[in-house]
Amino acid sequence: MWTIAWLVAALAGLTSAHLAAWHPSMYCLNGTTPGQVNYNTDDAVLPLWMLSKSDYWFHHSNGCDQFPPAEGDVLELPAGGSFTIEIADNRGVTSLSYNGTHATEWPDGLNHTGSTDPHRSLLVHTQNETMAAGTAFAIAYKSELSEVTLEDLVVFTVRYNTPWRRLTTYDVPAAMPACPSGGCICAWVWIPNGCGEPNIYMEGFKCMVTNATSTTPLGTPSPPVWCEDDQSQCVQGPKQIMIWNQLEDNNIEVSGFDLSGMAKSPAYNSKCGFKDGKCTFFPIDQDEALCDV
């Protein structure tokens, strides 16, 4: 017999067009009700649009940043290796609920066929996989989320043509230095390529670089710029995450149309100078950058 929880999870997949990255190391894994574990939560997937910085920063708008992961739950970033997270619209359709019995290849827990399935297009804000805007992880070498600023977060890995499938793998640069003893703070970020409200997504994780051999710190990141039509204008070196369509502290502005004729939308891809794969950026005075594409 179907349980109420299963039905809620299935309905969430049918109605939600928002997504989050899921892993035990995330903030508000259990939802945002103190003392409760919600195996069907979608608190982390709510989009961020026209909010004050105090509300959009690490998804404070509904209190996600106030619910850290359990002690010892850390996203391991193996230097020179890779890590996998799940992208979904609800915890109930991931491996983190119901022993994964409602998880499928897709972010909504349903089964889809064809790369241009119209229902899937609504789910991931894109017409097909090749047009998916790209998602990214950034890292701050601070152990307390409350101390992290925009200038601390360096985008270190990008995956083009995501979000699309539930399981998503990101590469880690070999030259990533170790975190402080208390670990690092990471952020998963995504800006959809149109197909809905022009919002952003940002969620926090406790993370730790493993197998680190480098002791060279990452450089200070700069705000990205739109450079689709002239790659020589792309920001070189470390880049910040993109804050867009918020009430304050936006660090990228776009207007007009992109080369495909669509309204411009900042993205974690070449349109804003982000490479697919892994990049480590060193201090500017060393004039070094390592990117494996």
Side-chain angles (χ1 to χ4, degrees):
M1 180 177 293
W2 290 354
T3 65
I4 295 297
W6 188 92
L7 286 172
V8 173
L11 289 174
L14 286 171
T15 59
S16 175
H18 311 308
L19 300 169
W22 297 88
H23 187 272
S25 61
M26 67 188 285
Y27 280 72
C28 77
L29 168 69
N30 296 324
T32 55
T33 302
Q36 293 186 16
V37 176
N38 183 354
Y39 291 101
N40 218 38
T41 179
D42 64 354
D43 290 334
V45 314
L46 301 180
L48 308 169
W49 182 71
M50 296 304 290
L51 298 173
S52 64
K53 184 175 182 179
S54 62
D55 281 333
Y56 68 71
W57 193 244
F58 281 106
H59 216 288
H60 180 71
S61 56
N62 65 345
C64 257
D65 61 333
Q66 303 301 303
F67 292 84
E71 187 71 27
D73 283 340
V74 177
L75 178 61
E76 293 190 353
L77 311 174
S82 61
F83 64 96
T84 299
I85 53 89
E86 301 177 60
I87 296 179
D89 64 358
N90 186 288
R91 179 177 173 175
V93 294
T94 72
S95 67
L96 303 175
S97 289
Y98 317 120
N99 295 316
T101 53
H102 305 306
T104 69
E105 182 181 359
W106 308 108
D108 59 0
L110 301 178
N111 289 295
H112 301 280
T113 58
S115 61
T116 58
D117 180 347
H119 180 77
R120 297 219 59 256
S121 300
L122 289 174
L123 174 69
V124 296
H125 292 271
T126 186
Q127 297 177 30
N128 53 55
E129 184 173 8
T130 62
M131 294 177 66
T135 58
F137 270 90
I139 189 169
Y141 279 78
K142 290 184 175 178
S143 301
E144 298 298 327
L145 183 145
S146 60
E147 298 177 359
V148 176
T149 68
L150 183 60
E151 291 73 23
D152 293 323
L153 283 168
V154 179
V155 175
F156 69 93
T157 186
V158 171
R159 185 56 66 215
Y160 280 15
N161 308 127
T162 62
W164 189 251
R165 291 177 173 79
R166 177 177 60 87
L167 294 178
T168 305
T169 298
Y170 298 85
D171 301 318
V172 182
M176 289 276 281
C179 293
S181 59
C184 289
I185 297 294
C186 284
W188 181 82
V189 287
W190 170 45
I191 300 180
N193 184 21
C195 298
E197 185 179 78
N199 44 47
I200 67 174
Y201 292 77
M202 179 187 189
E203 56 178 301
F205 293 78
K206 289 288 289 185
C207 56
M208 179 74 76
V209 178
T210 61
N211 304 323
T213 58
S214 174
T215 58
T216 304
L218 305 186
T220 301
S222 299
V225 299
W226 182 273
C227 56
E228 180 191 25
D229 49 351
D230 185 356
Q231 292 289 296
S232 69
Q233 298 301 307
C234 297
V235 171
Q236 303 300 312
K239 285 180 272 295
Q240 297 175 358
I241 65 171
M242 293 183 286
I243 306 299
W244 184 55
N245 275 341
Q246 304 304 315
L247 293 177
E248 56 187 347
D249 288 357
N250 295 297
N251 66 353
I252 189 167
E253 299 290 344
V254 296
S255 61
F257 300 91
D258 62 20
L259 296 182
S260 71
M262 296 178 61
K264 288 182 179 178
S265 176
Y268 291 96
N269 58 38
S270 61
K271 293 179 180 180
C272 293
F274 291 95
K275 296 182 183 296
D276 187 28
K278 52 193 175 183
C279 285
T280 299
F281 301 105
F282 301 107
I284 293 176
D285 58 3
Q286 294 190 35
D287 194 29
E288 287 187 278
L290 173 66
C291 293
D292 296 320
V293 182

XYZ file of all heavy atoms in Angstrom, residues 12 15-20 22 42 44-48 87-90 107 122-125 190 192 197 199 201:
222
model
N 5.430 16.085 -5.103
C 6.445 17.129 -5.150
C 7.159 17.091 -6.470
O 7.473 18.114 -7.076
C 7.441 16.952 -3.992
N 5.012 18.722 -9.243
C 4.635 20.120 -9.200
C 5.817 21.075 -9.083
O 5.694 22.228 -9.422
C 3.697 20.376 -8.004
O 4.367 20.009 -6.795
C 2.426 19.552 -8.137
N 6.936 20.636 -8.604
C 8.044 21.543 -8.354
C 8.926 21.713 -9.578
O 9.197 20.769 -10.299
C 8.905 21.008 -7.195
O 10.047 21.820 -7.027
N 9.344 22.952 -9.807
C 10.302 23.222 -10.877
C 11.601 23.712 -10.283
O 12.375 24.400 -10.941
C 9.725 24.252 -11.846
N 11.837 23.404 -9.010
C 13.030 23.879 -8.311
C 13.862 22.688 -7.855
O 13.329 21.615 -7.586
C 12.624 24.733 -7.113
C 11.597 25.786 -7.442
N 11.758 26.671 -8.477
C 10.388 26.057 -6.882
C 10.705 27.472 -8.536
N 9.858 27.108 -7.590
N 15.171 22.905 -7.749
C 16.081 21.802 -7.449
C 17.120 22.213 -6.416
O 17.430 23.396 -6.262
C 16.796 21.344 -8.723
C 15.905 20.847 -9.863
C 16.723 20.674 -11.139
C 15.231 19.535 -9.481
N 17.672 21.216 -5.754
C 18.766 21.426 -4.809
C 19.742 20.268 -4.923
O 19.406 19.200 -5.443
C 18.240 21.532 -3.374
N 21.751 17.416 -2.949
C 21.484 16.684 -1.713
C 22.684 15.827 -1.322
O 23.257 15.117 -2.133
C 20.248 15.792 -1.881
C 19.005 16.583 -2.155
C 18.545 16.987 -3.380
C 18.077 17.091 -1.194
N 17.390 17.714 -3.237
C 17.071 17.792 -1.901
C 17.995 17.013 0.197
C 16.002 18.418 -1.273
C 16.928 17.623 0.838
C 15.944 18.320 0.104
N 11.424 19.800 1.130
C 11.907 20.500 -0.051
C 12.344 21.923 0.328
O 12.417 22.816 -0.511
C 10.849 20.535 -1.161
C 9.600 21.321 -0.772
O 9.497 21.752 0.406
O 8.725 21.521 -1.630
N 15.198 23.134 1.003
C 16.450 23.589 0.377
C 16.283 23.976 -1.082
O 17.171 24.613 -1.653
C 17.515 22.489 0.490
N 15.161 23.602 -1.696
C 15.023 23.837 -3.139
C 14.383 25.176 -3.467
O 14.338 25.570 -4.637
C 14.211 22.713 -3.828
C 14.667 21.349 -3.380
C 12.712 22.877 -3.579
N 13.881 25.871 -2.472
C 13.161 27.113 -2.755
C 14.087 28.132 -3.408
O 15.197 28.372 -2.929
C 12.570 27.682 -1.463
C 11.594 26.752 -0.729
C 11.080 27.425 0.533
C 10.436 26.354 -1.637
N 13.664 28.753 -4.512
C 14.530 29.687 -5.240
C 14.679 31.018 -4.511
O 13.898 31.350 -3.604
C 13.793 29.869 -6.569
C 12.353 29.663 -6.217
C 12.347 28.592 -5.166
N 15.685 31.765 -4.896
C 16.005 33.044 -4.275
C 15.839 34.145 -5.315
O 16.535 34.164 -6.330
C 17.438 33.014 -3.740
C 17.768 31.822 -2.829
C 19.264 31.736 -2.576
C 16.991 31.905 -1.515
N 21.026 15.671 -7.321
C 20.225 16.863 -7.572
C 18.776 16.420 -7.698
O 18.443 15.561 -8.509
C 20.697 17.591 -8.842
C 22.134 18.120 -8.653
C 19.756 18.736 -9.179
C 22.698 18.832 -9.869
N 17.915 16.993 -6.871
C 16.516 16.571 -6.860
C 15.637 17.688 -6.334
O 16.116 18.662 -5.732
C 16.348 15.319 -6.003
N 14.330 17.534 -6.537
C 13.395 18.561 -6.083
C 12.828 18.261 -4.702
O 12.048 19.038 -4.178
C 12.270 18.762 -7.108
C 11.390 17.529 -7.284
O 11.653 16.497 -6.649
O 10.429 17.610 -8.078
N 13.232 17.144 -4.101
C 12.668 16.743 -2.825
C 13.548 15.645 -2.239
O 14.014 14.769 -2.965
C 11.234 16.229 -3.049
C 10.512 15.926 -1.754
O 10.826 14.959 -1.081
N 9.530 16.739 -1.418
N 15.690 13.914 -11.497
C 15.561 14.704 -10.267
C 14.178 14.715 -9.633
O 14.033 15.159 -8.512
C 15.946 16.124 -10.713
C 16.756 15.948 -11.951
C 16.165 14.754 -12.621
N 10.213 21.509 -17.919
C 9.660 22.358 -16.871
C 10.404 22.145 -15.564
O 10.634 23.071 -14.800
C 8.167 22.041 -16.683
C 7.237 22.487 -17.808
C 5.831 21.968 -17.539
C 7.214 24.001 -17.928
N 10.798 20.915 -15.305
C 11.441 20.580 -14.037
C 12.792 21.246 -13.891
O 13.129 21.775 -12.837
C 11.600 19.062 -13.918
C 12.391 18.568 -12.699
C 11.605 18.831 -11.434
C 12.703 17.096 -12.839
N 13.600 21.262 -14.934
C 14.977 21.744 -14.800
C 15.224 23.069 -15.503
O 16.354 23.465 -15.702
C 15.979 20.685 -15.315
C 15.922 19.448 -14.464
C 15.708 20.338 -16.774
N 14.175 23.782 -15.859
C 14.318 25.117 -16.452
C 15.164 25.109 -17.720
O 16.019 25.976 -17.910
C 14.955 26.093 -15.451
C 14.098 26.421 -14.276
N 13.199 27.467 -14.259
C 14.007 25.846 -13.056
C 12.599 27.524 -13.085
N 13.063 26.542 -12.341
N 23.479 27.675 -8.711
C 22.874 27.447 -10.023
C 22.017 28.646 -10.376
O 21.335 29.212 -9.520
C 22.011 26.183 -9.965
C 21.123 25.918 -11.157
C 21.461 26.017 -12.474
C 19.755 25.498 -11.125
N 20.389 25.672 -13.276
C 19.323 25.345 -12.472
C 18.850 25.224 -10.104
C 18.028 24.948 -12.814
C 17.561 24.819 -10.439
C 17.165 24.677 -11.784
N 19.204 29.214 -13.370
C 18.533 28.603 -14.515
C 18.642 29.459 -15.769
O 18.732 30.692 -15.690
C 17.073 28.494 -14.046
C 17.139 28.537 -12.560
C 18.288 29.431 -12.240
N 10.943 32.088 -13.507
C 11.362 33.256 -12.752
C 12.889 33.363 -12.756
O 13.582 32.383 -12.522
C 10.852 33.112 -11.315
C 11.104 34.316 -10.432
C 10.538 34.081 -9.043
O 11.179 33.352 -8.252
O 9.450 34.599 -8.755
N 15.642 33.575 -11.082
C 16.142 33.505 -9.714
C 17.512 32.830 -9.657
O 18.073 32.428 -10.668
C 15.141 32.750 -8.837
C 14.624 31.499 -9.521
O 15.400 30.724 -10.064
N 13.309 31.303 -9.516
N 20.029 30.039 -7.026
C 19.996 29.009 -5.990
C 21.344 29.004 -5.280
O 22.391 29.106 -5.922
C 19.728 27.629 -6.596
C 18.332 27.487 -7.168
C 18.010 28.043 -8.401
C 17.336 26.815 -6.467
C 16.726 27.933 -8.927
C 16.050 26.691 -6.976
C 15.750 27.261 -8.215
O 14.490 27.154 -8.723
